């Protein structure tokens, strides 16, 4: 059975090569992003393995089905980039990696908090230039601060556990309260109350029609002035232009992003020799109290190994007629 990987990087090839490959699978790694221009590469491949920024809209799915593809194996937990109704109509099965390493993403969110708070990005650049002034680098103690966790699945719960270890007071928002998070002393509140009370807010919820632009001009205005916002979830959870206005006014004091709504054409490539064409992202990068990383929160050895193992297991189980980790339309 032929499997083609789109948007594959060196670390993908390394992790999948090291994982035990089920008998009968032939793996082909393709660095190109899946879209209408590249979908022809998948012809005569029964399985397409896609990542978060691959185009899995109806037109692309139709071309895949015409070329003989029967399974889309996502090497991610999120599936908001898949037209599930079209997939069902075409008879395409969709499987995903529901959990790989919640610690990887949660710890990256904490790293963003620490770097923003203690101005590590600015201090690093200063000392490399021989500037050892401490002016403007004052941070704050995390102990006793109120942290709002929006989305308390596995990643959100792991993040909450880490912040509890710092001695933070925890607030949470999720339609389905997690007993593990409640056991940490977290109080579940309506979103408006969490926004008003938290000094640090971290997003760990899926992207769907209800959560798209959950953070917008109104919700930013409802936050405490100078609050910190962290997003390691999905770029579409925030209205990015609204972030810029809140940063300009000082309403938003710190911003850490590992995801960006328009990242598909930017992230995972070296574009350092080209002018940045995205004016919104370019403006964000001018703020000294903003850190943007290029969707790297998942990037640990442990997480990559788990993604590879689960993805290959998903493909093997589907081939045997006993699919696992199916995404329902």
């Amino acid at each position: 059975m032929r499997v083609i990987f789109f948007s594959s990087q060196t670390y993908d090839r390394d992790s999948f090569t090291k994982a035990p490959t089920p008998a009968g699978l032939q793996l082909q790694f393709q660095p190109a992003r899946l879209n209408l221009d590249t979908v022809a590469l998948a012809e005569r491949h029964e399985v397409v393995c896609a990542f978060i920024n691959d185009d899995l809209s109806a037109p692309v799915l139709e071309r895949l089905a015409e070329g003989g593809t029967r399974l889309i194996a996502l090497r991610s937990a999120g599936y908001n980039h898949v037209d599930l109704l079209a997939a069902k109509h075409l008879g395409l099965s969709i499987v995903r990696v529901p959990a790989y390493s919640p610690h990887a993403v949660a710890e990256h969110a904490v790293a963003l908090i620490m770097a923003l708070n203690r101005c590590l990005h600015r201090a690093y650049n200063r000392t490399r230039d021989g500037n050892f002034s401490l002016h403007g680098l004052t941070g704050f103690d995390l102990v006793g601060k109120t942290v709002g966790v929006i989305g308390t699945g596995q990643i959100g719960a792991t993040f909450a556990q880490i912040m509890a270890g710092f001695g933070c007071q925890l607030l949470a928002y999720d339609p389905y309260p997690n007993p593990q998070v409640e056991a940490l002393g977290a109080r579940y509140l309506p979103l408006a109350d969490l926004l008003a009370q938290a000094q640090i807010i971290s997003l760990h919820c899926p992207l769907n029609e209800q959560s798209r632009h959950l953070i917008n001009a109104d919700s930013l205005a409802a936050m405490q002035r100078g609050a910190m916002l962290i997003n390691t979830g999905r770029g579409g959870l925030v209205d990015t232009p609204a972030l810029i206005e809140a940063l300009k006014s000082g309403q938003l004091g710190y911003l850490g992003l590992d995801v960006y709504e328009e990242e598909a054409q930017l992230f995972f490539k070296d574009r350092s020799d080209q002018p940045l064409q995205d004016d919104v992202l370019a403006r964000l990068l001018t703020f000294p109290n903003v850190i943007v990383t290029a969707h790297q929160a998942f990037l640990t050895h442990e997480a990559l190994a788990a993604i590879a193992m689960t993805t290959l297991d998903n493909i093997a189980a589907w081939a045997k007629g006993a699919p696992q980790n199916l995404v329902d339309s």
Side-chain angles (χ1 to χ4, degrees):
M1 182 181 298
R2 302 178 70 195
V3 183
I4 184 169
F5 291 72
F6 281 93
S7 299
S8 64
Q9 305 291 329
T10 301
Y11 48 78
D12 292 308
R13 293 190 292 273
D14 290 345
S15 60
F16 276 89
T17 300
K18 291 176 183 176
T21 303
L25 293 189
Q26 302 174 34
L27 310 184
Q28 178 189 342
F29 296 93
Q30 174 57 247
R33 175 173 168 257
L34 175 60
N35 54 37
L36 278 174
D37 294 328
T38 61
V39 67
L41 295 169
E43 191 168 345
R44 295 189 299 278
H45 288 80
E46 290 181 85
V47 182
V48 165
C49 187
F51 199 44
I52 50 175
N53 289 328
D54 286 314
D55 182 355
L56 292 166
S57 60
V60 174
L61 293 176
E62 289 170 5
R63 291 282 301 277
L64 289 175
E66 291 170 1
T69 296
R70 295 191 292 141
L71 174 68
I72 308 294
L74 303 175
R75 54 185 192 275
S76 61
Y79 50 86
N80 56 283
H81 56 311
V82 185
D83 187 327
L84 296 178
L85 291 178
K88 183 177 181 179
H89 176 73
L90 294 164
L92 292 169
S93 297
I94 312 290
V95 294
R96 68 184 182 116
V97 182
Y100 39 93
S101 174
H103 299 280
V105 180
E107 289 172 10
H108 192 78
V110 176
L112 289 173
I113 291 171
M114 296 296 291
L116 284 165
N117 174 27
R118 304 309 299 267
C119 306
L120 297 184
H121 54 306
R122 298 177 64 195
Y124 171 78
N125 288 327
R126 280 190 191 182
T127 54
R128 285 177 62 87
D129 290 337
N131 179 356
F132 303 102
S133 167
L134 300 183
H135 177 72
L137 303 183
T138 305
F140 56 82
D141 291 351
L142 282 174
V143 64
K145 296 299 183 291
T146 302
V147 176
V149 187
I150 299 179
T152 54
Q154 293 190 55
I155 296 173
T158 302
F159 171 80
Q161 184 178 31
I162 297 172
M163 299 313 293
F166 277 106
C168 297
Q169 305 297 313
L170 299 176
L171 304 178
Y173 171 75
D174 195 300
Y176 306 98
N178 187 336
Q180 292 179 323
V181 176
E182 291 177 317
L184 296 170
R187 292 186 294 125
Y188 277 86
L189 297 176
L191 180 60
D193 293 339
L194 182 149
L195 294 173
Q197 297 180 35
Q199 294 152 310
I200 300 170
I201 296 168
S202 191
L203 306 180
H204 300 283
C205 50
L207 178 62
N208 51 43
E209 289 307 311
Q210 290 70 44
S211 64
R212 184 174 297 278
H213 289 181
L214 184 74
I215 302 300
N216 51 47
D218 291 338
S219 51
L220 287 164
M223 294 180 188
Q224 293 188 20
R225 185 171 179 81
M228 179 187 293
L229 176 66
I230 305 294
N231 186 13
T232 55
R234 288 289 182 268
L237 295 173
V238 301
D239 178 356
T240 312
L243 294 178
I244 292 173
E245 293 304 313
L247 287 163
K248 286 168 61 178
S249 69
Q251 173 64 17
L252 187 61
Y254 311 81
L255 176 66
L257 300 178
D258 186 55
V259 289
Y260 174 57
E261 192 166 14
E262 304 299 329
E263 71 179 54
Q265 302 298 329
L266 294 170
F267 286 7
F268 307 115
K269 297 289 185 181
D270 181 359
R271 305 184 188 279
S272 58
D273 62 343
Q274 305 168 22
L276 183 56
Q277 299 297 321
D278 189 310
D279 292 342
V280 175
L281 181 58
R283 183 68 178 95
L284 270 182
L285 293 173
T286 66
F287 291 96
N289 52 345
V290 171
I291 295 179
V292 178
T293 54
H295 211 131
Q296 72 177 77
F298 76 99
L299 197 62
T300 67
H301 293 296
E302 294 83 357
L304 289 171
I307 289 169
M309 182 67 72
T310 302
T311 300
L312 292 173
D313 286 347
N314 285 345
I315 296 170
W318 174 83
K320 293 176 182 177
Q324 60 187 24
N325 297 319
L326 279 171
V327 177
D328 296 325
S329 60

